[in-house]
Amino acid sequence: EVQLVESGGGLVQPGGSLRLSCAASGFAFSTYYMTWVRQAPGKGLEWVSSINSLGDSTSYADSVKGRFTISRDNAKNTLYLQLNSLKTEDTAIYYCAKDIPNIATMDVDRRQGTQVTVSS
């Protein structure tokens, strides 16, 4: 069974930083693309970033480019997202996903995610 457990969120002031983690199990982590998505209050899911299986190719939404960095440790089956220069509009629940999900059909109802709140 695929299990993805996010952690590392919290309350941070604008301009601050956080590092999110996603512990993966139940599948061959090192062979899959991995993705971060987020859901802001009252809004739909938004794709944030993806990384290839080797970790040497990444892509970012324009809204986070230059501020967020995705990375992975295949030896630890763990995905990361470094969030720098945080803005209030980054406030959201962040989820990791196996592969590159179809945002339109991705179901997070049973997922906990990790809450990031950016506020002064």
Side-chain angles (χ1 to χ4, degrees):
E1 178 188 1
V2 172
Q3 288 200 331
L4 298 166
V5 179
E6 303 88 349
S7 62
L11 173 63
V12 63
Q13 292 186 341
S17 297
L18 285 172
R19 189 193 196 200
L20 308 185
S21 298
C22 168
S25 61
F27 65 102
F29 177 80
S30 64
T31 68
Y32 282 89
Y33 271 75
M34 293 295 294
T35 295
W36 285 99
V37 302
R38 67 185 180 183
Q39 187 167 32
K43 296 189 177 181
L45 288 173
E46 176 190 16
W47 171 76
V48 174
S49 180
S50 294
I51 187 168
N52 70 344
S53 59
L54 294 178
D56 58 2
S57 178
T58 58
S59 55
Y60 299 92
D62 287 344
S63 58
V64 307
K65 199 172 293 182
R67 301 187 298 118
F68 291 8
T69 303
I70 190 171
S71 62
R72 65 192 296 162
D73 185 335
N74 285 343
K76 295 182 179 180
N77 284 2
T78 303
L79 176 71
Y80 302 101
L81 187 68
Q82 178 69 41
L83 288 63
N84 295 331
S85 303
L86 281 161
K87 304 176 181 180
T88 55
E89 51 263 44
D90 295 318
T91 294
I93 301 174
Y94 285 71
Y95 304 93
C96 60
K98 174 187 166 191
D99 215 335
I100 301 177
N102 182 339
I103 295 297
T105 60
M106 183 177 174
D107 182 6
V108 297
D109 284 350
R110 289 185 236 179
R111 299 282 306 279
Q112 184 171 356
T114 188
Q115 174 74 50
V116 172
T117 302
V118 185
S119 175
S120 54

